[in-house]
Amino acid sequence: MSTEPPPTAAVAPPLDPVAGEPDNKTSTENPNVKLKLEDLNWDHSFVRELPADPLTDISSREVLHACYSRVSPSAEVENPQLVVWSESVADILDLDPKEFERPDFPYLFSGASPLKGGLSYAQCYGGHQFGVWADQLGDGRAITLGELINSKSQRWELQLKGAGKTPYSRNADGLAVLRSSIREFLCSEAMHNLGIPTTRALCLVTTGKLVSRDMFYDGNPKDEPGAIVCRVAQSFLRFGSFQIHAKRGNEDLEIVKTLADYTIKHHFPHLESMSKSDSLSFSTGEGNSDVVDLTSNKYAAWLVEVAERTASLIAKWQGVGFTHGVLNTDNMSVLGLTIDYGPFGFLDAFDPSFTPNTTDLPGRRYCFAEQPDIGSWNIGQFGLALSTAQLINKKELNYALERYGSKFMDEYQAIMTKKVGLSRYNKELIGELLNNMAVDKVDYTNFFRLLSNIKADSDVPDKDLLVPLKAALLDIGRERKEAWTGWVKRYRAELLSSGVSDEERKVSMNSVNPRYILRNYLCQSAIDMAEQGDYEEVRRLLKVMEKPFDDQPGMERYARLPPAWAYRPGVCMLSCSS
């Protein structure tokens, strides 16, 4: 059982743990060039500018006074195979898509062979899990390979998930299975194509080894195929990256400031050059003396921007019916990205209390309807970390929370207005619609897609009003038909008053209401085939999800309602275990 890469594998020379300035190669000089892996433009700012763990062993331990630990991928592999890849992510990295054809590619992206120029590490962070402080967590099975600067001068971090143990693995093995890796890869790309900020995925490889997992925490583990996904983001910094140092206090409070300065410098550089002329002074409504001047405190301005990005993100989730499932503070990106795809789920039948996470069932803290409030709570905890380090004051924290609330409502109302094709927000009409959908368990995605077929025609008789919605309004009785008919009549009156043609409105609505979403049963069908060594369904599903708003003739089966088997445990609902 050889774990050695083929002779063509690239092997990196020994690396200086504090790499120097960027090596500005051809990629920044010619934006049209496509690079080989050996020619990528690395710049390891995180390692260069932030405090490191002085120890190098990977035993599970408390890591103090450090933002990261140097660690190399250690997952065992045997004939690793490339399952699926994203050419659009390769394009972001200036990577020649022909590189996916290299015989050593699966070895490089399973971590069995080091990438030339890379500098691997695992990040230290903490977090609140289900509302309770969990202390140190960290990258327990994710290992960053390093940071790249692309031809647009954008910074991108490459990270292998499932690449082996780190000091943050606790009692786990640092590995991942094919099942969860397929879900993460596909959802990363599906969310991007829905227009929702997210981490991305470059590729997914199998390790050729088996990994034991107790999916339902019922004492019955089973062996599953191991896999590793390469995640890509401009940063994987989380709220918990700051919380861990604030919670430890004392000398670690300076690390909060150092990390905040680093984040603003590299990811929010516009906040470094604010001036009084930017007019960023706001009254808190508590009197003339209570004015928050964001130009005088970049950390307060940064918190407000993180709050607004988070609010915008969650509004977009609500718009497409996405439920994250594990909104712990260690799963919240400071860049406002969807991060860490575990037991996620898109709504099938509309149910505000839906949670895809079996661990969340008792209290449904992270259910669909609670996501906006949880986002606010998490922002509060992130702000408290900055406040503990004396980077912001209480008034600035409260103001950021206000801005979160107003930004969420503005974005959510705008999204829902577009989804129903109106020119202005109608709270009563949209509220009544969502209530009807919940009562009759109407499919969230298919209903809004069908809604664009309603005509602004007052001559349509009442008995025919529901015909365009027939495929979504299944098994409803006379009383419910009357309720829906009444709603459609009020909706039609709104359409008539808007003056927008049916054709124009349909095009607009179909641009925000997807035809295809990554339903859990679609994932499971692809997983079942992949576990037998057939990866074509994974690749086909990726192609469908690349154009979610297009009708895609011949692919209609991917828009079907879930079959009966989709409601079994492990498909519609999952645990945090993978």
Side-chain angles (χ1 to χ4, degrees), residues 254-517:
E254 188 60 30
I255 298 180
V256 179
K257 182 179 184 300
T258 299
L259 188 55
D261 287 338
Y262 167 86
T263 307
I264 292 170
K265 172 185 173 182
H266 290 288
H267 303 289
F268 300 81
H270 54 283
L271 299 180
E272 298 272 31
S273 55
M274 291 186 300
S275 67
K276 295 291 183 180
S277 62
D278 290 331
S279 300
L280 292 176
S281 296
F282 304 92
S283 171
T284 61
E286 301 173 3
N288 293 333
S289 61
D290 288 310
V291 173
V292 174
D293 179 10
L294 298 182
T295 63
S296 65
N297 185 356
K298 68 177 182 180
Y299 305 110
W302 175 49
L303 175 61
V304 167
E305 185 162 341
V306 173
E308 291 195 335
R309 287 193 188 193
T310 303
S312 177
L313 174 69
I314 295 179
K316 290 180 170 68
W317 290 354
Q318 303 304 104
V320 298
F322 175 79
T323 310
H324 183 282
V326 202
L327 280 182
N328 299 328
T329 57
D330 56 295
N331 295 337
M332 299 290 292
S333 161
V334 296
L335 300 188
L337 306 175
T338 314
I339 189 171
D340 289 340
Y341 291 95
F344 66 82
F346 285 86
L347 291 173
D348 294 316
F350 181 62
D351 176 6
S353 68
F354 168 71
T355 178
N357 185 355
T358 55
T359 313
D360 191 36
L361 275 176
R364 296 183 184 265
R365 175 182 175 85
Y366 296 145
C367 73
F368 177 74
E370 292 298 320
Q371 291 184 133
D373 284 346
I374 291 297
S376 178
W377 191 89
N378 288 345
I379 286 290
Q381 299 306 310
F382 174 54
L384 187 60
L386 303 184
S387 175
T388 301
Q390 298 186 328
L391 300 181
I392 63 168
N393 59 39
K394 183 179 179 181
K395 185 168 59 176
E396 291 164 336
L397 172 53
N398 289 338
Y399 178 68
L401 291 170
E402 288 179 23
R403 287 281 285 266
Y404 173 93
S406 58
K407 180 67 171 180
F408 174 81
M409 288 309 300
D410 288 348
E411 291 269 332
Y412 179 72
Q413 290 178 7
I415 289 168
M416 296 307 295
T417 299
K418 290 177 183 176
K419 286 182 74 68
V420 297
L422 298 180
S423 55
R424 57 186 175 83
Y425 182 67
N426 186 319
K427 181 179 180 180
E428 289 186 10
L429 192 70
I430 292 174
E432 184 184 353
L433 168 62
L434 294 176
N435 182 67
N436 283 337
M437 292 176 70
V439 169
D440 295 309
K441 296 179 169 52
V442 176
D443 187 82
Y444 189 81
T445 299
N446 289 354
F447 176 86
F448 280 107
R449 189 74 176 192
L450 290 169
L451 189 61
S452 65
N453 295 324
I454 297 287
K455 308 292 185 185
D457 182 357
S458 57
D459 293 332
V460 176
D462 287 2
K463 66 181 181 64
D464 295 333
L465 280 177
L466 300 185
V467 171
L469 305 176
K470 184 179 179 180
L473 301 181
L474 305 172
D475 302 321
I476 60 172
R478 178 180 173 184
E479 182 180 337
R480 295 305 303 153
K481 283 183 179 177
E482 291 176 355
W484 277 104
T485 299
W487 182 85
V488 171
K489 289 171 72 173
R490 288 185 287 279
Y491 175 60
R492 181 178 61 180
E494 282 287 306
L495 298 183
L496 286 165
S497 68
S498 71
V500 178
S501 71
D502 291 337
E503 294 75 15
E504 183 182 347
R505 182 175 62 258
K506 183 179 177 66
V507 169
S508 175
M509 290 175 68
N510 285 353
S511 72
V512 296
N513 292 320
R515 177 83 166 104
Y516 302 97
I517 55 166

Side-chain angles (χ1 to χ4, degrees), residues 129-345:
Q129 298 194 323
F130 296 91
V132 178
W133 177 247
D135 207 12
Q136 179 179 292
L137 298 168
D139 286 334
R141 57 176 173 162
I143 297 176
T144 290
L145 297 178
E147 304 162 56
L148 302 175
I149 305 291
N150 70 5
S151 57
K152 297 179 180 177
S153 298
Q154 296 170 332
R155 181 176 302 277
W156 292 94
E157 184 177 328
L158 273 61
Q159 185 182 85
L160 299 184
K161 186 173 182 179
K165 285 188 176 182
T166 77
Y168 312 101
S169 297
R170 289 168 285 173
N171 296 320
D173 56 18
L175 306 177
V177 296
L178 184 59
R179 166 176 50 85
S180 62
S181 300
I182 286 174
R183 285 171 52 82
E184 172 130 18
F185 180 95
L186 289 175
C187 203
S188 298
E189 295 307 284
M191 292 287 274
H192 169 74
N193 291 305
L194 286 168
I196 298 174
T198 176
T199 59
R200 303 292 303 276
L202 175 65
C203 61
L204 165 61
V205 299
T206 57
T207 62
K209 307 293 275 188
L210 294 176
V211 176
S212 179
R213 284 291 179 268
D214 184 355
M215 187 195 302
F216 302 112
Y217 296 132
D218 61 359
N220 294 298
K222 72 169 189 173
D223 287 342
E224 301 185 47
I228 296 172
V229 63
C230 180
R231 308 196 294 186
V232 178
Q234 293 195 279
S235 174
F236 285 94
L237 281 166
R238 306 137 187 278
F239 292 3
S241 305
F242 299 83
Q243 286 182 283
I244 186 67
H245 305 296
K247 286 285 187 179
R248 287 172 172 170
N250 302 319
E251 62 190 280
D252 279 17
L253 294 180
E254 188 60 30
I255 298 180
V256 179
K257 182 179 184 300
T258 299
L259 188 55
D261 287 338
Y262 167 86
T263 307
I264 292 170
K265 172 185 173 182
H266 290 288
H267 303 289
F268 300 81
H270 54 283
L271 299 180
E272 298 272 31
S273 55
M274 291 186 300
S275 67
K276 295 291 183 180
S277 62
D278 290 331
S279 300
L280 292 176
S281 296
F282 304 92
S283 171
T284 61
E286 301 173 3
N288 293 333
S289 61
D290 288 310
V291 173
V292 174
D293 179 10
L294 298 182
T295 63
S296 65
N297 185 356
K298 68 177 182 180
Y299 305 110
W302 175 49
L303 175 61
V304 167
E305 185 162 341
V306 173
E308 291 195 335
R309 287 193 188 193
T310 303
S312 177
L313 174 69
I314 295 179
K316 290 180 170 68
W317 290 354
Q318 303 304 104
V320 298
F322 175 79
T323 310
H324 183 282
V326 202
L327 280 182
N328 299 328
T329 57
D330 56 295
N331 295 337
M332 299 290 292
S333 161
V334 296
L335 300 188
L337 306 175
T338 314
I339 189 171
D340 289 340
Y341 291 95
F344 66 82

